[in-house]
C-alpha cells in the first residue's frame, strides 16, 4: 500500500512500508501513486519506458491503447504513514531516509556489477556488454556449427613431434584454421603455410643443435683447461719454484709459461720475474704509507699541503695526485665493484697508490696506474703488491711512458712501426693512408698493460708472458690484436679504427689472440726487438750531436 503525501516535505516521497530493503520481498509492478509520482523499481531496467508510455499514451502506435491502470488502494492517513516509517516530522532529510531504509546496518561485500544487454534506465541508456575474448575452442565450434565442416586433428604422434623447437607464437596462424570472422584458407595457402612452418621449425632445430654443440665444446675446453691448470700447478709448486733460478730459462718452463700460469702461483711467479732491484721492504712500505696518510689527513683538514716540497715535486702536483687517485679508484674495473667505495679492495688500492706517490714524487700518480696496482692486488698481498708495483714501473718502458718522456716514447713507437710493416704490410699502408699513428691506440694499451682493454683473465695471461719476455711482448701483443682484426680494420676509416682499437670487442678469446701473437715474428732483417730499438737510440744520439751548436772559439 502507498501513503499519500500530506505536505510539501512528504509529498516528494513515495515509499513502501517500514520494512527495510533487505526484509522487503521483491516487488511486482506497483500501481502509480494517485499524486502522479512514478514508483522507481530498482530491479527493473525498463521502468522509465513504462512510465513514459503511461504519461504519453498519444505516442503509442495507431490502434493501441494504454493499459488500464488498476484502482488505487485505500489510502492511509499521513500520520500513520509517518509513524510506520519512523520519520519524526516533515523536516527529515533525504539522507536520513536512505540511511535508515535502503542501507543495511551490516556491511556486505560489494558484488561487481554485471552488464547486460542494452536497455533503458531512469537517466540514460545501459551501456552495451563488452565483447569478451572467445576461446579458440568456442570459435572452432561456432565455425563447425555454421559451415557443417568438422575438423579432425591429426594423431598426437604425427602432430608437433618437436614441440621444444616450435615457434609457438605462430603455430595457431599457420597450422590452425582461421577464426570464423575471417575468410577460410585455400588449399594452396594452407600447403604454403605448412611448408613455411616446417622450414621455420627446421631452422630453429638447427640453431638449437648448433648452440648445444657450441656449449658442449666450451664446457669440454673449460674442463680440459682446468685439468691442465691442475697438473701445471703441481709442476710449478713441486719442481719449478723450489729451483727457480736454475729452471726459469729452460725450454720446458718457457713453454709451460706460455700456456698461462695457474692462478694459485701467478702472484709468486710475477714477483720472482719482476724482481726487487729497488730493495723495497715491507717496513719501507709502511713508512711511506704512514706518510701518505698524514698528507691525506692534512689535506682533508686544511685543503692544502703545508709540508716542505719534496725534490722534483711541487705542492700542486701532490695535491693533483691525491685528487686523481680518488677519482681513478672508482673507475678501476667498475664491473667488479670490489674497488668501489665500500668494496673490500678500495682502501687497499688507495693505500698502495698513495704510498707510491710518496715513494716516487718525481713520477707522482698518472692515470692508468690504478689498473696495474689493482691487478697486482688481486694476485698478491698488500706489501708484496707494492714492491712489485714500484719495481714494475721502474722498468725503462714504463718509466718512459709514466714520466711522459716524449723522445723515448717516439722511439718505442718507431720500433713498433718497423715490426708492424714487417708483419702486416697491407694494414700498415692502410693506417698510413689515414695518417693513423701508433700513439693513438698504443698509449692506452701500454699505460694499463692491457688490463683495461682486454678481459681480466686474458689480460692476466698477457701479463704472464710479459713477465717472461719483458717489454717486447707488450708490443708483440699489440701486433697480435691488429692481426686478429685485420680484415675488419681494412674496411674502416680513421674515426672508426680509432674507436674500435680504443674499445676492443668483449668476446675476444685467449686462444684466438695468442694464436695471432704466435704468428707475429719479432725479427727485422735478422734483428731482434732489442737490436732495432738500440739502433734507433744510436741514430737519435748521432742526430743530436749533428744538430748541437758548435763550441765558441
Amino acid at each position: 500500500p502507498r501513503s499519500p503525501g500530506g505536505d510539501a516535505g512528504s509529498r516528494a516521497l513515495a515509499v513502501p512500508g517500514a520494512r527495510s530493503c533487505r526484509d522487503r520481498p521483491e516487488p511486482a509492478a506497483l500501481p502509480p501513486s494517485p499524486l502522479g509520482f512514478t514508483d522507481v523499481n530498482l530491479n527493473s531496467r525498463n521502468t522509465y519506458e513504462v512510465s513514459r508510455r503511461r504519461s504519453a499514451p498519444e505516442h503509442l502506435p495507431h490502434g493501441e491503447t494504454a493499459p488500464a491502470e488498476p484502482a488505487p488502494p485505500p489510502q492511509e492517513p499521513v500520520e500513520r504513514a509517518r509513524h510506520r516509517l519512523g520519520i519524526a516530522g516533515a523536516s527529515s532529510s533525504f539522507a536520513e531516509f536512505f540511511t535508515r531504509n535502503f542501507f543495511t546496518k551490516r556491511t556486505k561485500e560489494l558484488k561487481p556489477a554485471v552488464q547486460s544487454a542494452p536497455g533503458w534506465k531512469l537517466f540514460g541508456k545501459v551501456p552495451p556488454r563488452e565483447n569478451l575474448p572467445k576461446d579458440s575452442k568456442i570459435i572452432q565450434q561456432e565455425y563447425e556449427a555454421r559451415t557443417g565442416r568438422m575438423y579432425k586433428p591429426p594423431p598426437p604422434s604425427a602432430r608437433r613431434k618437436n614441440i621444444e623447437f616450435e615457434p609457438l607464437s605462430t603455430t595457431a596462424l599457420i597450422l590452425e584454421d582461421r577464426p570464423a570472422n575471417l575468410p577460410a584458407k585455400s588449399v594452396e595457402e594452407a600447403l604454403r603455410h605448412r611448408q613455411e612452418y616446417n622450414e621455420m621449425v627446421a631452422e630453429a632445430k638447427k640453431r638449437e643443435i648448433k648452440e648445444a654443440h657450441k656449449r658442449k665444446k666450451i664446457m669440454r675446453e673449460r674442463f680440459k683447461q682446468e685439468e691442465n691448470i691442475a697438473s701445471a700447478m703441481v709442476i710449478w709448486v713441486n719442481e719449478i719454484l723450489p729451483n727457480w733460478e736454475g729452471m726459469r730459462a729452460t725450454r720446458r718452463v718457457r713453454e709451460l709459461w706460455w700456456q698461462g700460469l695457474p692462478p694459485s702461483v701467478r702472484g709468486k711467479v710475477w714477483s720472482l720475474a719482476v724482481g726487487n732491484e729497488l730493495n723495497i721492504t715491507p717496513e719501507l712500505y709502511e713508512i711511506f704509507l704512514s706518510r701518505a696518510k698524514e698528507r691525506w689527513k692534512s689535506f682533508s683538514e686544511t685543503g692544502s699541503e703545508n709540508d716542505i716540497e719534496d725534490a722534483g715535486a711541487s705542492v700542486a702536483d701532490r695535491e693533483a695526485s691525491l685528487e686523481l687517485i680518488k677519482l681513478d679508484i672508482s673507475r678501476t674495473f667498475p664491473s667488479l665493484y670490489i674497488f668501489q667505495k665500500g668494496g673490500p679492495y678500495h682502501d687497499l688500492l688507495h693505500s698502495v697508490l698513495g704510498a707510491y706517490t710518496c715513494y716516487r714524487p718525481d713520477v707522482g700518480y698518472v692515470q692508468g696506474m690504478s689498473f696495474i696496482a689493482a691487478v697486482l692486488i688481486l694476485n698478491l698481498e698488500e706489501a708484496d703488491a707494492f714492491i712489485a708495483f714500484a719495481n714494475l714501473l721502474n722498468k725503462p718502458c714504463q718509466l718512459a711512458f709514466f714520466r711522459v718522456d716524449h723522445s723515448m716514447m717516439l722511439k718505442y713507437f718507431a720500433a713498433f712501426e718497423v715490426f708492424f710493416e714487417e708483419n702486416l704490410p697491407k694494414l700498415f699502408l692502410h693506417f698510413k693512408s689515414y695518417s693513423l699513428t701508433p700513439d693513438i691506440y698504443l698509449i692506452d694499451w701500454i699505460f694499463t698493460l692491457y688490463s683495461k682493454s682486454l678481459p681480466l683473465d686474458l689480460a692476466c695471461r698477457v701479463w704472464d708472458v710479459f713477465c717472461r719476455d719483458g717489454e717486447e711482448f707488450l708490443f708483440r701483443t699489440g701486433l697480435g690484436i691488429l692481426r686478429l682484426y685485420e680484415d675488419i680494420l681494412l674496411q674502416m676509416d680513421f674515426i672508426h679504427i680509432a674507436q674500435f682499437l680504443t674499445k676492443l670487442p668483449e668476446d675476444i678469446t685467449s686462444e684466438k689472440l695468442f694464436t695471432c701473437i704466435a704468428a707475429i715474428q719479432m725479427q727485422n732483417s735478422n734483428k731482434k726487438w732489442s737490436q732495432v730499438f738500440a739502433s734507433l737510440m744510436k741514430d737519435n744520439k748521432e742526430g743530436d750531436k749533428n744538430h748541437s751548436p758548435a763550441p765558441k772559439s
Side-chain angles (χ1 to χ4, degrees):
R2 293 182 179 274
S3 59
D7 51 19
S10 61
R11 194 175 293 131
L13 301 174
V15 295
R19 288 177 298 174
S20 66
C21 182
R22 182 182 58 186
D23 303 327
R24 184 178 62 184
E26 192 73 15
L30 295 178
S33 172
L35 296 179
F37 295 107
T38 305
D39 178 42
V40 179
N41 188 350
L42 296 178
N43 295 323
S44 175
R45 197 170 51 243
N46 298 315
T47 304
Y48 179 73
E49 181 70 21
V50 173
S51 175
R52 185 175 61 82
R53 292 193 177 194
R54 289 175 179 171
S55 61
E58 65 273 14
H59 296 293
L60 295 174
H62 182 69
E64 294 185 12
T65 59
E69 296 180 0
Q75 298 181 2
E76 285 184 301
V78 176
E79 296 301 329
R80 277 187 65 189
R82 285 182 183 174
H83 180 71
R84 287 176 58 195
L85 290 172
I87 301 174
S91 60
S92 299
S93 63
F94 281 100
E96 273 186 301
F97 175 76
F98 282 110
T99 304
R100 300 183 62 169
N101 293 280
F102 284 95
F103 295 96
T104 59
K105 295 189 177 181
R106 289 184 301 172
T107 56
K108 294 184 177 180
E109 294 183 358
L110 296 177
K111 296 182 179 180
V114 180
Q115 294 181 347
S116 56
W120 290 93
K121 63 179 181 179
L122 186 60
F123 294 108
K125 191 174 181 180
V126 176
R129 177 184 297 176
E130 295 181 359
N131 292 327
L132 299 176
K134 295 182 179 180
D135 187 70
S136 59
K137 293 183 178 180
I138 298 176
I139 296 175
Q140 183 70 24
Q141 292 172 1
E142 292 179 354
Y143 174 74
E144 292 173 355
R146 185 169 61 255
T147 60
R149 293 171 54 188
M150 296 296 291
Y151 173 69
K152 295 181 179 180
S157 59
R159 188 170 181 263
R160 301 183 188 175
K161 291 181 180 179
N162 301 316
I163 191 68
E164 64 274 16
F165 300 118
E166 289 189 3
L168 299 178
S169 60
T170 58
T171 303
L173 298 177
I174 297 176
L175 297 182
E176 310 295 342
D177 288 335
R178 286 179 179 152
N181 58 339
L182 296 176
K185 293 181 182 180
S186 62
V187 177
E188 294 80 5
E189 186 179 11
L191 291 175
R192 188 178 75 251
H193 285 177
R194 166 62 67 175
Q195 183 179 0
E196 291 174 355
Y197 175 75
N198 291 334
E199 292 174 357
M200 291 168 59
V201 171
E203 289 296 325
K205 187 175 181 179
K206 284 182 182 178
R207 187 164 55 250
E208 182 69 22
I209 293 174
K210 186 177 180 181
E211 291 177 356
H213 286 319
K214 186 177 179 180
R215 288 193 296 269
K216 288 181 180 178
K217 183 179 179 181
I218 292 173
M219 292 300 296
R220 284 197 303 267
E221 291 177 354
R222 186 176 297 173
F223 289 145
K224 184 179 179 181
Q225 185 180 7
E226 290 176 356
E227 291 177 357
N228 293 337
I229 289 173
S231 59
M233 183 186 65
V234 175
I235 297 173
W236 279 98
V237 171
N238 297 332
E239 300 180 26
I240 301 174
L241 291 179
N243 305 296
W244 173 252
E245 294 298 333
M247 295 189 66
R248 64 176 297 180
T250 61
R251 182 176 180 179
R252 180 193 177 197
V253 172
R254 290 181 64 85
E255 290 178 354
L256 202 61
W257 209 331
W258 175 267
Q259 296 172 7
L261 297 172
S264 58
V265 301
R266 175 168 279 153
K268 181 65 175 177
V269 174
W270 285 359
S271 296
L272 292 172
V274 172
N276 188 11
E277 295 178 354
L278 300 175
N279 295 320
I280 301 174
T281 60
E283 293 76 18
L284 188 63
Y285 166 67
E286 293 295 335
I287 293 172
F288 286 110
L289 177 59
S290 61
R291 190 177 299 177
K293 290 180 178 179
E294 290 176 2
R295 288 181 177 174
W296 290 330
K297 185 177 179 181
S298 63
F299 179 75
S300 61
E301 290 176 355
T302 63
S304 62
E305 297 199 14
N306 301 319
D307 296 344
I308 299 174
E309 297 180 7
D310 290 326
S314 65
V315 176
D317 291 338
R318 290 202 303 272
E319 291 178 4
S321 294
L322 292 174
E323 288 300 315
L324 275 176
I325 290 173
K326 291 180 181 179
L327 182 64
D328 264 13
I329 287 178
S330 61
R331 298 185 296 195
T332 303
F333 296 119
S335 59
L336 296 181
Y337 297 105
I338 57 177
F339 296 107
Q340 312 303 309
K341 192 169 184 179
Y345 291 143
H346 175 271
D347 295 339
L348 192 60
L349 180 58
H350 198 256
S351 299
V352 171
L353 295 175
Y356 182 78
T357 58
C358 294
Y359 174 71
R360 290 299 298 266
D362 57 321
V363 179
Y365 176 78
V366 182
Q367 283 183 318
M369 287 183 178
S370 61
F371 281 90
I372 298 176
V375 174
L376 291 171
I377 287 171
L378 290 174
N379 292 276
L380 291 164
E381 297 296 329
E382 181 178 354
D384 295 331
F386 175 79
I387 295 171
F389 181 71
N391 282 277
L392 189 60
L393 297 192
N394 198 50
K395 302 294 182 183
C397 180
Q398 278 65 48
L399 200 59
F401 275 80
F402 283 112
R403 296 183 72 169
V404 196
D405 188 340
H406 292 286
S407 61
M408 285 292 292
M409 291 171 68
L410 289 175
K411 293 180 184 63
Y412 280 108
F413 293 149
F416 174 81
E417 285 192 308
V418 170
F419 293 95
F420 187 3
E421 186 178 10
E422 181 76 19
N423 288 275
L424 305 168
K426 289 177 63 176
L427 189 60
F428 177 79
L429 293 176
H430 184 65
F431 279 26
K432 281 290 184 183
S433 65
Y434 286 109
S435 300
L436 200 150
T437 54
D439 57 289
I440 294 175
Y441 50 91
L442 267 184
I443 285 179
D444 190 50
W445 294 352
I446 302 300
F447 263 103
T448 61
L449 300 182
Y450 296 96
S451 56
K452 181 182 177 183
S453 306
L454 297 176
L456 184 57
D457 56 342
L458 180 53
C460 287
R461 188 172 172 188
V462 170
W463 277 46
D464 293 342
V465 189
F466 162 64
C467 291
R468 187 194 76 171
D469 295 347
E471 62 187 33
E472 172 188 334
F473 189 74
L474 295 178
F475 297 94
R476 190 180 180 187
T477 301
L479 292 174
I481 292 173
L482 296 178
R483 181 184 180 90
L484 178 61
Y485 297 109
E486 181 179 11
D487 296 336
I488 298 174
L489 295 171
L490 286 172
Q491 308 299 324
M492 294 181 177
D493 57 8
F494 180 93
I495 298 295
H496 291 91
I497 291 173
Q499 291 176 346
F500 183 85
L501 295 179
T502 302
K503 186 173 177 59
L504 295 172
E506 296 180 357
D507 59 349
I508 183 172
T509 61
S510 59
E511 289 76 15
K512 291 181 180 179
L513 177 59
F514 272 78
T515 300
C516 293
I517 293 174
I520 298 297
Q521 300 297 322
M522 297 301 284
Q523 284 189 351
N524 177 260
S525 301
N526 295 326
K527 289 184 179 180
K528 296 182 179 180
W529 168 268
S530 57
Q531 295 171 330
V532 170
F533 187 76
S535 64
L536 289 171
M537 291 285 291
K538 184 179 179 180
D539 294 341
N540 187 69
K541 289 180 180 178
E542 291 178 356
D544 292 341
K545 288 180 181 180
N546 294 332
H547 290 89
S548 61
K552 293 181 180 180
S553 57

